Amino acid sequence: MSDAAQPTAAEVRAAAEAVKTALDRHLAAVERRTGDDDTAVFEAFNALASAAEAYDELLYDRYDEVTPFEIPGADGNLPPYAGPDEPHALSLLIRRDYAVAEPQRLLAQARRVAELDDDADTRAVAKAGVSPLAALGVLFGEYEPDEIASRHKEFGLEEGDSTLWVTAAEELPEPGEWLAAPFDHVDPERIVCRFDVSSVFDEEDEEEPVDAGARGADV
């Protein structure tokens, strides 16, 4: 970087003050946390990560020095964001893994749902009660994914890892445009944020305490 383009000492100092402010706001949000999915904590976490990253860059440009901060998403998992600054459309990509922990409970719940369906014939009801594939089709056809997630134990399922990616777009695609291959053309440079849930984070917590807000968000 040329001398003319280098940040001033005052700009570096201002960035450091921004980190201090973001730290205070993050701690305050954590202290007021209302649950694991508290949006204020996620927002404060993201603001802190952004402020720390900006300070780190200015510190390096001005003094050729670095910080010990580890910025989520800066480890190569996601490239720098290159999408629109003011997106007019969003796509949510969700993956949730489940183990079929209690097959008989799964079959029983599917059979009960099928029996309540006035249009279901006897053969379909019987199949839902003996075929795991048919049972899954019945349950996921009846309930929204979020309801399955909140009631998974009722259906004999055990939660695995899950992730949510929020991607930005200039405008909505044409109806039916991506239905044939909905997950094939995800541009990693348009990922605004992602939230991950995994038991591996709990194992890491046992080894070394970390901010709970960092477990679910990579920006």
Side-chain angles (χ1 to χ4, degrees):
M1 176 178 292
S2 67
D3 291 342
Q6 281 188 344
T8 65
E11 289 174 327
V12 179
R13 173 63 60 181
E17 292 299 326
V19 173
K20 296 175 187 177
T21 299
L23 275 168
D24 289 339
R25 290 175 177 172
H26 181 259
L27 177 58
V30 171
E31 290 173 338
R32 297 193 300 266
R33 181 196 301 276
T34 58
D36 291 341
D37 297 326
D38 192 323
T39 57
V41 175
F42 284 126
E43 290 172 358
F45 171 84
N46 292 337
L48 175 57
S50 178
E53 184 175 17
Y55 171 63
D56 189 89
E57 291 178 356
L58 291 173
L59 187 70
Y60 182 80
D61 290 344
R62 176 70 185 181
Y63 299 111
D64 197 25
E65 188 57 74
V66 297
T67 71
F69 302 145
E70 180 180 353
I71 308 302
D75 57 0
N77 289 336
L78 291 177
Y81 178 72
D85 292 333
E86 298 183 7
H88 296 290
L90 297 173
S91 291
L92 305 185
L93 291 88
I94 302 173
R95 171 171 174 170
R96 293 178 176 139
D97 287 354
Y98 298 96
V100 181
E102 300 180 68
Q104 292 307 314
R105 180 183 291 272
L106 172 71
L107 296 172
Q109 290 283 19
R111 183 181 180 88
R112 181 183 63 81
V113 170
E115 288 174 343
L116 294 175
D117 185 355
D118 294 335
D119 296 328
D121 57 32
T122 304
R123 182 178 178 183
V125 172
K127 191 173 183 180
V130 298
S131 168
L133 291 179
L136 289 171
V138 168
L139 291 177
F140 280 88
E142 176 69 16
Y143 299 105
E144 294 289 336
D146 286 345
E147 187 168 3
I148 294 286
S150 65
R151 300 174 56 187
H152 62 277
K153 291 183 179 179
E154 294 180 35
F155 305 130
L157 303 176
E158 181 179 308
E159 286 184 311
D161 289 356
S162 66
T163 188
L164 165 65
W165 294 15
V166 182
T167 65
E170 299 286 358
E171 58 186 17
L172 282 176
E174 292 295 325
E177 182 177 329
W178 49 258
L179 289 179
F183 305 112
D184 284 359
H185 304 291
V186 180
D187 184 350
E189 293 187 349
R190 286 179 173 261
I191 296 176
V192 178
C193 56
R194 59 178 290 180
F195 299 94
D196 302 323
V197 177
S198 174
S199 60
V200 70
F201 297 129
D202 296 330
E203 296 169 3
E204 291 174 356
D205 286 348
E206 294 175 0
E207 298 173 1
E208 180 178 356
V210 296
D211 189 321
R215 299 190 321 205
D218 284 337
V219 179

